[in-house]
Every structure is written in C-alpha cells, then in structure tokens.
Amino acid sequence: MTGLYLALALILLLTICVGMVRVLRGPTATDRMLAAQLFGTTAVAILLLLGQATENTAIWDVALIFALLTAIAAATFVRRRDIDKTTETEDQNDRH
Amino acid sequence: MAAQTNLWSRFTLRLGGCLFLWWVLTGGNTLTSWIIGVPTIALALWVMQSVPQSENQQLSLPGLLRFIPYFLLQSVRGGIDVARRAYSPSLPLNPDVIDFPLSLPPGRPRIFFLNSVSLLPGTLSAELCDTILKVHVLDRDIDPGLNQLQTHVARLFKHPSGGNR
Amino acid sequence: MTVTEIITTMLLLASLPFFLAGTLGLLRFPDLYCRLHALTKADNLGLGLVVLALIFQADNVQQIIRLLLTWLLVLIAGATVAHLIARKARGDGHKHWSRQ
C-alpha cells in the first residue's frame, strides 16, 4: 500500500508543477493567485498521502495548516488590491 | 435571565467543542498534551469571547440532515461535470454571469449560501451586490438550481422562506 | 490484500482523474473564472475521495474525525478563496470569456 500512496503523491506533485507553470504565466496577479487554490487542495492531498505512507500522522497537521493558510493568503491578497492595481495594469500593458 | 442562560449554553458549547477538537488533534492518548491543551483552550475561549458576537442563530438539525446528503451529491455532480468539460476535446463551455436575487437574511445564512454556490455544479459566486448575487455559470443553457439550494439553506437556518416542510 | 485495502486502492485510483481534470482545466479553460471552477470543484472531489480512501485505513476514531475535519476545512477554504479571487477579478474589470 505504501507504494501506492507514494506513487499517487508523486503524480499529484507533478500536476502541481504543471499547474504552477500555467499559473505563474499570469498575466495578472489575480491569475497567479490561483496557485492558492491549487495548493489548498492538491498539496493537502499529497500531505495526507505522505502521512499515511510514513505512518506519521503529524504530517496531517501540516495539511491542516496548509488549508488554513490558503484562505488567509487569499484574504490578505484581496485586501491589498490598491497596491496591486498599479502593477497589474503595467503587466497588462506589457502583454498587449 | 434568559440572556444569561443563553450565554452559558454558548460557553458550554464552545468549551465542549474545544475539548473535543484538542482530543481529536492530539490523538487523545497522551495525558501530558493537556499541559499545553488547557491553556490553549482557555486562550481560544477568551479570543472567541472578545470577537463581536452575531445574534445567536441556531441551526435546524433536520435541516442539516437533509442538507448534507444533498450537498455531497451536488459536489460529486459538480466535480464530474467540470471534469467532463475539461477532458472533452471540443471544450463545451458557454459561460455567462447571471444575477440571482437573494431572499436569505444577511450574515451567516448569506455567507453559507455564497460558499455553497461555488461548490455546486457549474456555478461560482462572483460578487455580492446588496441583495443580488452575481453568479458565474459554466453553461448558460443549464438551470443551475440555485433556488433549491436557497430553500435548503433557509431551512438550515430556520428562515421562513424555507417553508416548514 | 484485504477488503479494506482493495476499497482504498479503488478510491485512490478514482481520485486521480479529478486531480488531473483540475490541472487540465487550468491549462485549457479560456479565462480565470472557468479555471476557478475547474480547480475548486474537481480538486475538492479528488481530495474527498482521498480522504474517504484513508478513512478505510484509519486506526482509530480520532484519525477518522481528523481526516473529515481536514476535508471540511479545505471545502470552506476553497469556497472562500474561489469567491475572493472571483470578486477581486470582477473588481479589477476582468471580462469573462464568452462564446460568440
């Protein structure tokens, strides 16, 4: 069973990597914020699987913290919209 | 007098919740964990007390028991629906933003509704303008069934618009 | 292999298509809002299946509750994050893509 947990965790890590390439391309900061959603679910699944594979459920606590932090990260991100607005329009001007 | 008992029942509920949560998170079998646990719970209760209180809204248990299977089924449908669209070579998307008038009261019922919408098939709550919820839908030709969700949430929070059934 | 191990294996294998769909949607869908749909719903279902799979391997009740609480927290956090991002995108004037 351990092999299955690790294999699935590895595949999920790969999907995060592929997703991150897309997310980092943006073009706006809001597009990049999708990374929070990607990590909020897929990384939690990876951590749960790793916890089960190593029979060390302390890793599950890390998963719990991850889930909490994504919500806080998103809330912080939208609060500083005024600062971002200037950089975002610059980003968009670069693209077009 | 009534307000006093209300306060006490709320406190007992929170204390019970914290004790239960600590027991779950620590695995329950280490007595020494309570050396940290008891002060932590005391601190948590103090923080909860200092946060501004919303009026005490009780959930309806039958409402909850009907909501959970409905929600689980809908989120499975939502996942399958969006996965089908992602895999399909022709990318069957026809997105739009629709206005949905809310009949739920502000506060927890409305926030609960807002969050549930995003987990239902094909809908994403995009913006709340007063009593109109702007919902992004993946397919404008499909009825998103938001009225049904609103009835469920109203029933859950014992709001009259949910009916008594 | 015991019965619970077979169930766990099947649930884990069933979760994979949904995680892949989330990433595929992220790559293929035309705009931010549609990508949010894909990530929020497909990945949450994938995680739900992983949680269910691990519940069948849990040693005690606390582990089952911990797994369910983690999933519940991810559900709430995911819905909140999705709404916050969508609202910010609308506030910034992101137009949603529509088929002409």
Side-chain angles (χ1 to χ4, degrees):
Chain A
M1 287 304 275
T2 313
L4 178 66
Y5 297 139
L6 290 178
L8 190 59
L10 206 65
I11 297 171
L12 293 186
L13 192 65
L14 209 68
T15 68
I16 284 198
C17 292
V18 174
M20 278 309 279
V21 171
R22 176 70 198 81
V23 164
L24 288 176
R25 280 209 339 242
T28 68
T30 316
D31 285 292
R32 292 191 193 104
M33 205 50 211
L34 283 179
Q37 196 73 315
L38 192 66
F39 275 94
T41 37
T42 313
V44 167
I46 292 176
L47 288 167
L48 290 181
L49 287 166
L50 283 182
Q52 183 74 29
T54 57
E55 288 178 8
N56 177 6
T57 53
I59 298 179
W60 289 2
D61 297 334
V62 183
L64 213 58
I65 302 291
F66 245 91
L68 265 177
L69 278 182
T70 52
I72 295 170
T76 318
F77 172 72
V78 293
R79 289 289 289 182
R80 47 177 288 238
R81 72 188 313 157
D82 295 331
I83 308 164
D84 276 345
K85 228 166 197 167
T86 45
T87 55
E88 255 175 46
T89 38
E90 279 164 21
D91 274 8
Q92 273 167 336
N93 289 343
D94 288 348
R95 299 266 307 175
H96 300 304
Chain B
M1 211 39 204
Q4 197 73 23
T5 34
N6 209 342
L7 225 70
W8 269 109
S9 70
R10 192 202 294 243
F11 179 77
T12 328
L13 203 70
R14 282 175 175 176
L15 180 65
C18 284
L19 289 171
F20 178 72
L21 203 60
W22 188 266
W23 175 73
V24 166
L25 288 178
T26 53
N29 39 24
T30 46
L31 207 65
T32 43
S33 80
W34 291 100
I35 297 172
I36 299 171
V38 172
T40 308
I41 290 171
L43 191 70
L45 288 173
W46 177 72
V47 169
M48 279 193 260
Q49 220 79 60
S50 20
V51 168
Q53 316 270 318
S54 62
E55 75 269 41
N56 205 2
Q57 272 173 321
Q58 283 194 324
L59 292 180
S60 128
L61 189 63
L64 186 66
L65 290 179
R66 287 174 75 160
F67 182 79
I68 291 173
Y70 163 78
F71 178 79
L72 287 178
L73 182 71
Q74 291 297 314
S75 47
V76 169
R77 275 188 52 205
I80 292 172
D81 171 70
V82 87
R84 184 183 59 83
R85 289 174 202 276
Y87 283 122
S88 172
S90 61
L91 210 61
L93 294 172
N94 196 2
D96 199 4
V97 175
I98 59 167
D99 289 352
F100 183 76
L102 291 166
S103 63
L104 292 165
R108 279 201 286 173
R110 212 171 264 187
I111 291 169
F112 192 91
F113 180 76
L114 213 78
N115 279 341
S116 310
V117 165
S118 300
L119 295 164
L120 251 54
T123 54
L124 178 76
S125 58
E127 203 176 359
L128 183 63
C129 310
D130 206 14
T131 60
I132 304 285
L133 181 66
K134 301 228 178 254
V135 181
H136 184 266
V137 292
L138 278 183
D139 197 331
R140 67 175 76 175
D141 301 323
I142 293 177
D143 172 40
L146 292 177
N147 279 315
Q148 198 190 5
L149 175 66
Q150 183 158 256
T151 313
H152 269 284
V153 176
R155 214 181 273 144
L156 185 63
F157 286 92
K158 295 179 176 169
H159 189 255
S161 66
N164 293 320
R165 281 174 302 120
Chain C
M1 240 170 136
T2 60
V3 181
T4 53
E5 280 181 339
I6 293 170
I7 296 173
T8 300
T9 308
M10 278 165 64
L11 285 169
L12 286 180
L13 291 179
S15 76
L16 192 57
F18 292 106
F19 283 113
L20 293 179
T23 305
L24 200 63
L26 186 63
L27 297 176
R28 290 189 70 205
F29 284 1
D31 72 350
L32 177 76
Y33 304 104
C34 295
R35 286 180 203 141
L36 263 180
H37 276 277
L39 279 183
T40 312
K41 290 190 255 283
D43 280 8
N44 271 333
L45 185 53
L47 183 64
L49 289 170
V50 168
V51 163
L52 205 60
L54 295 185
I55 281 176
F56 279 96
Q57 300 297 317
D59 301 325
N60 49 43
V61 194
Q62 284 104 318
Q63 289 197 354
I64 296 176
I65 301 170
R66 266 170 88 186
L67 286 167
L68 287 176
L69 280 179
T70 308
W71 187 50
L72 189 68
L73 189 66
V74 170
L75 274 186
I76 299 170
T80 311
V81 171
H83 174 68
L84 287 176
I85 295 176
R87 197 182 63 178
K88 167 125 172 77
R90 278 185 68 85
D92 290 346
H94 269 257
K95 287 272 179 288
H96 68 272
W97 177 90
S98 64
R99 201 176 284 279
Q100 289 310 314

